[in-house]
Amino acid sequence: MTLAPEALHAAFTGSRGYLAACSTGLPTTATRAAVIADLDARPDLVHYADVAERCRAHFARLVSTVPDRVAIGSQTSVLVGLIAASLPDGATVLCPEGEFSSLVLPFAHAGRGIRVRAVALADLAGAITPDVDLVAFSIVQSATGEVADAAAIVAAARRHNTRTLCDATQAAGWLPLDAEQFDALVCHTYKWLCAPRGVAFLALSDGFAATLMPLHAGWYAGEDPWAACYGTDATLARSARRFDVSPAWQAMVGAEPALAMFADADPAALHARVTGLAAAFRTRLGLPEPLHASPIVTWPDPAGADLTRLTSAGVAASGRRGNARVAFHVFNYEADVELAANALLA
């Protein structure tokens, strides 16, 4: 089943003027209903485990990989920390300047002589040299909405035997993704995937997974979780499940319908819809189009005056690094473009 953007739009209510998917997504009506039903029901751990596995499968489908290569987590920084802990002593990590903290702080504070070097996003591919062990980057930058040239970065990394870690938190849900082009892809689902906070995933290549320590191994990382609840002799899963942390049950219950919906969406049509709304907004404000289409629009607003205008007009927006920032998602319409533009041009 392939869902058109109009079908996804119908899954939301109360979205008028909400231009903040890059901060946190709106819950779907199905997510609201699932969480409420779960709170009213008797807890069932077997049911929760089934829901978590369905979430894993939905996410795998969304990023064009298989469930056995996907680990469940709760926060991107925790999953990135797993990778940081497994790098060799003295490793060099390359990242974009101004990258989101959750992707870089685990490396910056890993100790053991690990070095982090930052360059402009546009220069990232060219800065990969044989001494770089890992290049870590968000495919869509949180602060600016800039879309990375992932193909160029991956090609350069392969030439120098450098591992790649891509953060898809600002991309999954509107940008078509192929996790298998990277050694690792990490994603929290509470933004563009409109899931409750507390559901994150790490997709791994088999080769890279073999180099990682199951740092957070607990009962859910066991080959048979229900037989791995006690003692030290549990057998960890042979798949990426060995890197799982125990799922946040209620968050998974709410995430499952949202992840299923986005996994069923037409990725090309969804991309065209949200970037088209952003392009219409840029046209109204006379802002330049980015090199790669993005639904996130930023412009200088050092004093926060424009953000105040938007807020006063009932527009949910955000300010980052001296810029105003709006984001257009599938729950937005052309009327949201006009609402925000009129607030700024009045």
Side-chain angles (χ1 to χ4, degrees), residues 206-233:
D206 291 337
F208 194 35
T211 72
L212 302 181
M213 299 182 297
L215 185 65
H216 309 297
W219 72 277
Y220 207 77
E223 185 64 43
D224 177 2
W226 304 107
C229 295
Y230 305 100
T232 61
D233 59 351

Side-chain angles (χ1 to χ4, degrees), residues 92-94 117 127-135 160-162:
T92 295
V93 178
L94 181 68
R117 190 166 83 235
I128 300 173
T129 53
D131 66 315
V132 175
D133 296 275
L134 176 77
V135 55
H160 297 292
N161 295 316
T162 298

Side-chain angles (χ1 to χ4, degrees), residues 105-178:
L105 288 185
F107 300 111
H109 295 279
R112 299 183 292 109
I114 292 176
R115 300 178 297 274
V116 178
R117 190 166 83 235
V119 300
L121 180 64
D123 299 330
L124 196 61
I128 300 173
T129 53
D131 66 315
V132 175
D133 296 275
L134 176 77
V135 55
F137 67 101
S138 294
I139 195 167
V140 179
Q141 292 291 297
S142 172
T144 64
E146 186 178 1
V147 180
D149 188 346
I153 294 168
V154 168
R158 287 176 178 167
R159 287 196 298 270
H160 297 292
N161 295 316
T162 298
R163 296 291 192 180
T164 52
L165 166 60
C166 173
D167 188 334
T169 301
Q170 291 287 2
W174 70 268
L175 183 69
L177 294 167
D178 179 5

Side-chain angles (χ1 to χ4, degrees), residues 35-36 39 54 58 79 97 166-167 177 187 189 200 214 251 255 292 312 334 336:
V35 171
I36 291 170
L39 293 174
R54 290 199 296 272
H58 295 322
L79 294 170
E97 293 173 344
C166 173
D167 188 334
L177 294 167
C187 180
T189 62
H292 302 289
S312 297
E334 286 76 4
D336 296 306

Side-chain angles (χ1 to χ4, degrees), residues 245-303:
V245 297
S246 181
W249 299 129
Q250 281 74 28
M252 284 285 178
V253 166
E256 202 265 330
L259 293 175
M261 182 184 74
F262 281 103
D264 284 339
D266 180 335
L270 183 53
H271 176 273
R273 173 64 182 168
V274 299
T275 59
L277 290 172
F281 179 75
R282 291 190 188 94
T283 298
R284 289 280 277 115
L285 265 65
L287 297 172
E289 280 295 312
L291 180 62
H292 302 289
S294 173
I296 301 174
V297 184
T298 64
W299 65 94
D301 186 33

Side-chain angles (χ1 to χ4, degrees), residues 290-330:
L291 180 62
H292 302 289
S294 173
I296 301 174
V297 184
T298 64
W299 65 94
D301 186 33
D306 283 349
L307 183 57
T308 297
R309 293 187 184 96
L310 290 168
T311 302
S312 297
V315 175
S318 55
R320 293 293 186 274
R321 291 170 55 190
N323 291 330
R325 183 180 68 161
V326 296
F328 295 89
H329 201 14
V330 70

